[in-house]
Amino acid sequence: MSLPTYQNYIHGKALANKSRETFSVTNPATGKVIYHVEVADEFVQKQAIESAKAGFEKWSTMTPIERTRILNKAVALLRERNDELATVEVLDTGKPIQEANCVDVETGADVIEYFAGLAPTQLGTQQQVGSDFFYTRKEALGICAGIGAWNYPLQIACWKSGPALAAGNACIFKPSEETPLGAIKLAEIFTEAGVPDGVFNVVQGAAEVGQWLTTNPDIEKVSFTGEVSTGKKVMQSAASNLKDVTMELGGKSPLIVFDDANVSQAVSAAMLGNFYTQGEVCTNCTRVFVHRSVYQSFVDELISRTNSNIIAGDPLDPEVNLGALISENHRNLVLSYIEKGKQEGATLLTGGHTLSPESAPNGFFVAPTVFTDCTDDMTIVKEEIFGPVMSVLVFDDEQEVISRANDTVLGLAAGVFSQNIQRAHRVIHQLKAGICWINSYGNSPAEMPVGGYKQSGVGRENGVETLNSYTQTKSVYVGMTDIESPF
Ligand code: NAD
């Protein structure tokens, strides 16, 4: 049976490219190609811009409440098609259906619903200045680009298009070339809900298509999710016409477990923050600092739960809770980090190898891996691995652990486990990270702004402030008296 070929989604429908260039997409759990996708060539790129301009004209002049109504229809369709969309995500990413079914589509829909609700609340200001006055208007930016990573493809597309569209912008979205289908499904849903043609276009391809978006002079803003090194390139090329940028990048986040912590809860957090989505989550707490007095009980429970509660296999099986890594290349990268960990003297307590589960023998699986006896200078402790690899470190006192936790160029997330509320807040306030949890880890509701400190990012997604970042302020000064002129 021949495999389907998907096209770019421009102006409310699929558009064929002229170059006939395609790329293929592999199911990480089987290692088999599942479909092909046409690359956005020059013809498609030109159409994407022309269409977005037309879409913007229409969409930006609709009232916010009209936009709300349409976006809420899209939200209802997303929820209605939860299972179908979750399956798309599982086949593209290799993540377990038990996650995609209740997280990926839902958290994407939540964010669009949240911004749809906020759209009509955007207010300008008015102020008297003598007998004159001025007022301000919040205006949409124009065409905004979104560039996504492969770990939460549909959710990322929703998180970028939600605020962009709610504020009245058009959006051209480029999903990762590893996971391109979710964004097409979202585009179809937007069209079905009544979003005018051209307001949400999807272009497909790898770095080159991304680069085109970041340098195109008709695009006003780029919201990027991906690696720090790519983020730097995107920011550099976005400077070509001084585009606004939002950067959601990588992390090497600390989880600090104090001596008064509920150890079982802390183990749950550490496992969620290292093994959920097979470790491919940007906020993962890959540096787990445990106070010496609870270290042994923490490690004993961690190893026992890791060895007995993880079920790897066909991610479409609802029992499976550990999926396949995104690609063979990525699996090799994760394995090379594990080798470095061993070479540099860390103790491998569990995992450290590939898995070949009966139900998915050719998938790119890596066993959940825990290293102890880690030191701050080890490669596995310093660099983002983006796989199920946890480093456990011991600490003795509060100031020591704060300075060690902050000793990184990254600052995406952090967590603290302690029953002492003063200590928990005191420590969190000193951690240089944008997304922090106390006695919890990983939850990211639509209402909560998320983004990184230091090299983990620029700007925020979600929360009220994000809607503002998709608008610009126009000040209008109104003269009520004659102008005094020396000329
Ligand atoms: P990546 O940087 O390799 O690719 C991200 C996107 O950028 C892809 O769509 C890719 O095609 C595109 N791209 C590549 N080169 C480009 C260029 N020169 N110009 C423009 N676009 C270009 O990242 P990835 O491997 O897809 O994703 C994993 C990374 O994403 C991890 O570092 C992870 O921490 C990060 N991430 C961050 C967040 C967050 O919210 N902070 C969320 C998810 C993932």
Side-chain angles (χ1 to χ4, degrees), residues 271-284:
M271 290 180 74
L272 272 171
N274 278 276
F275 305 147
Y276 203 71
T277 319
Q278 53 289 335
E280 296 165 330
V281 180
C282 53
T283 50
N284 270 359

Side-chain angles (χ1 to χ4, degrees), residues 194-215:
V195 172
D197 295 346
V199 173
F200 185 75
N201 291 331
V202 178
V203 291
Q204 302 283 7
E208 270 172 32
V209 179
Q211 271 162 2
W212 163 71
L213 283 171
T214 60
T215 48

Side-chain angles (χ1 to χ4, degrees), residues 147-151 156 174-177 205-207 210-211 214 224-228 230 233-234 248-251 282 384 386 412 456 461:
I147 301 177
W150 45 254
N151 59 341
I156 291 172
K174 190 196 88 62
S176 165
E177 62 277 24
Q211 271 162 2
T214 60
F224 172 80
T225 297
E227 287 178 14
V228 175
T230 320
K233 288 184 206 156
V234 167
E248 295 292 341
L249 309 176
C282 53
E384 185 184 48
F386 226 55
L412 190 59
S456 285
E461 288 193 314

Side-chain angles (χ1 to χ4, degrees), residues 320-471:
V320 162
N321 60 17
L322 186 88
L325 294 180
I326 188 71
S327 63
E328 174 121 58
N329 275 347
H330 188 57
R331 177 166 74 174
N332 289 338
L333 181 70
V334 170
L335 291 172
S336 74
Y337 273 112
I338 291 171
E339 274 315 301
K340 267 187 209 144
K342 290 196 261 182
Q343 279 163 17
E344 292 177 13
T347 305
L348 178 64
L349 279 196
T350 188
H353 51 81
T354 61
L355 291 172
S356 187
E358 216 176 296
S359 58
N362 300 317
F364 310 128
F365 293 86
V366 168
T369 299
V370 176
F371 279 109
T372 53
D373 299 319
C374 298
T375 54
D376 296 351
D377 57 349
M378 288 176 177
T379 310
I380 54 166
V381 178
K382 289 175 99 74
E383 295 182 13
E384 185 184 48
I385 301 172
F386 226 55
V389 183
M390 185 191 311
S391 297
V392 184
L393 303 112
V394 190
F395 75 93
D396 291 296
D397 81 74
E398 191 178 304
Q399 274 317 310
E400 169 212 335
V401 77
I402 292 169
S403 82
R404 289 172 64 195
N406 284 334
D407 186 18
T408 163
V409 295
L410 302 172
L412 190 59
V416 167
F417 270 76
S418 168
Q419 300 293 323
N420 176 337
I421 55 166
Q422 287 168 331
R423 170 153 68 188
H425 290 284
R426 182 172 68 230
V427 171
I428 281 288
H429 293 179
Q430 292 174 78
L431 293 176
K432 296 189 170 66
I435 314 168
C436 295
W437 290 281
I438 293 175
N439 296 335
S440 183
Y441 208 87
N443 270 351
S444 193
E447 301 87 337
M448 186 171 93
V450 288
Y453 279 19
K454 299 195 265 184
Q455 292 188 30
S456 285
V458 178
R460 294 292 174 267
E461 288 193 314
N462 300 348
V464 176
E465 65 195 88
T466 295
L467 191 61
N468 280 333
S469 75
Y470 280 93
T471 66

